[in-house]
Amino acid sequence: MPDPITGEGFNAPSPEVAYMGAPDMVEEAADLTRIATRLQAEAADASIHGEPYEPDEHAGRLYLLRRAALADRLSLAHPEVEEFLTDAVQLSQNLARFDREHDTHVGPHGPSSIEWDPSARPYVRQEYDHWEW
């Protein structure tokens, strides 16, 4: 049986491989806060001017990918915290849904692949591992 926590049984990199070059989790959280603030400011500016807000698809996906990866990493580092597991599962599904809707995956297995049936967390690791920094 595939294990979404260790990645065993999935055709995806292990957490150790996928997150090898990842920034420190505190640094990543701070960067994600800056990105979210910028995206919110852009949406507010468009709203003030009566314009529809269309976030850049690449920037939106990158935010989702990095946020899902951070949640996965936090869940792995602190398995006793139920909220981290809940976030990791939910955010992995959000990324997979976005990629299905926009056909934006970069790894060898798309977000609708049977490979991810038990969990989308290894999908996040695959996509993070294939992300071009």
Side-chain angles (χ1 to χ4, degrees):
M1 176 68 126
D3 185 340
I5 294 171
T6 64
E8 200 169 312
F10 288 91
N11 188 9
S14 68
E16 295 79 20
V17 171
Y19 304 132
M20 187 180 307
D24 172 80
M25 286 191 277
V26 173
E27 182 183 322
E28 182 73 334
D31 202 26
L32 285 165
T33 299
R34 284 189 292 275
I35 293 168
T37 300
R38 180 180 51 81
L39 293 172
Q40 289 172 343
E42 289 173 3
D45 187 54
S47 177
I48 289 169
H49 292 94
E51 301 168 359
Y53 177 62
E54 296 291 330
D56 172 73
E57 185 177 280
H58 176 73
R61 182 188 189 272
L62 185 55
Y63 176 79
L64 288 174
L65 172 62
R66 291 175 67 187
R67 182 63 188 95
L70 178 60
D72 189 39
R73 292 170 61 202
L74 284 167
S75 179
L76 292 166
H78 303 284
E80 73 283 359
V81 180
E82 183 74 25
E83 291 82 10
F84 289 162
L85 174 60
T86 301
D87 284 350
V89 169
Q90 180 62 47
L91 291 166
S92 70
Q93 293 297 330
N94 291 351
L95 175 66
R97 183 175 29 262
F98 181 91
D99 282 353
R100 278 191 300 276
E101 291 171 1
H102 297 91
D103 193 26
T104 49
H105 74 279
V106 294
H109 301 287
S112 297
S113 173
I114 195 166
E115 181 69 29
W116 317 124
D117 271 356
S119 175
R121 288 175 67 188
Y123 175 72
V124 170
R125 296 171 195 150
Q126 169 194 269
E127 294 300 294
Y128 196 87
D129 190 50
H130 282 84
W131 172 35
E132 296 291 328
W133 293 75

